Amino acid sequence: MNPLIYEWWVIGKFADQVGIRICNRVVRYVRSITSTTSGEDSPLRNAWEEICAQVQSEEWLNWEVFESVVDQAIEEEVNELPEHELAAIWFQTEEGQDWGFADAENRKEPNIDRQVVVALIRNRVFSKASDHTNVRIQKWLDRYS
């Protein structure tokens, strides 16, 4: 394997582990939010279940609130990351890859855009929401079937 490709592979594996850790923390936090917006007769018990139901069916009027809560939780996690973990995740973005594959002699210190990192992790959180189900979520999704 080309040494440069190997280095990127190692960084990618490390970034995945950091991303999984952050994603799991964000999901735990969102699960702890028990005030729901889906109505008193809803089987959904927390904000995570509401996010899962929306991702798997359709966005409700309050979708922006859920996105904001997730983004804020991710931002708090990202702000606590050591520089090497933040950089590893950033290297998974288009901007990070462009910087990494640029001519080394002409490279300047990277300007890591934390919002790009937040967006990358948000995608991971919502991807996890699209795969997660339980009896309550399924009951909600089946309500009009």
Side-chain angles (χ1 to χ4, degrees):
M1 182 183 285
N2 176 317
L4 182 59
I5 300 300
Y6 183 75
E7 290 171 7
W8 280 93
W9 178 78
V10 170
I11 292 169
K13 292 293 185 183
F14 177 68
D16 279 345
Q17 293 303 309
V18 175
I20 289 167
R21 185 183 77 221
I22 293 171
C23 180
N24 289 339
R25 286 181 181 171
V26 169
V27 169
R28 260 192 315 275
Y29 168 71
V30 175
R31 272 192 180 130
S32 74
I33 301 172
T34 56
S35 32
T36 59
T37 61
S38 53
E40 289 182 21
D41 60 341
S42 171
L44 304 175
R45 291 190 181 158
N46 57 54
W48 174 246
E49 290 181 356
E50 288 189 332
I51 288 171
C52 293
Q54 289 191 51
V55 168
Q56 294 173 33
S57 63
E58 61 185 351
E59 296 174 2
W60 308 332
L61 292 175
N62 57 359
W63 177 248
E64 294 80 20
V65 173
F66 289 112
E67 280 186 316
S68 177
V69 167
V70 168
D71 280 357
Q72 184 177 8
I74 294 169
E75 286 172 7
E76 289 176 16
E77 291 290 333
V78 166
N79 288 336
E80 296 297 319
L81 288 176
E83 189 70 23
H84 67 284
E85 291 181 350
L86 176 63
I89 295 172
W90 180 73
F91 281 131
Q92 307 314 301
T93 68
E94 187 175 332
E95 292 87 347
Q97 291 175 7
D98 288 348
W99 183 89
F101 286 110
D103 181 18
E105 292 178 11
N106 296 325
R107 262 194 242 153
K108 297 179 179 162
E109 187 171 329
N111 181 18
I112 297 176
D113 183 349
R114 289 173 184 265
Q115 290 308 307
V116 173
V117 172
V118 168
L120 188 75
I121 297 171
R122 178 191 321 116
N123 290 341
R124 182 184 290 269
V125 170
F126 291 150
S127 176
K128 186 170 186 162
S130 73
D131 295 335
H132 179 79
T133 193
N134 60 30
V135 173
R136 293 178 301 280
I137 295 169
Q138 199 56 52
K139 184 176 179 181
W140 177 263
L141 294 174
D142 292 343
R143 72 193 185 283
Y144 295 117
S145 299

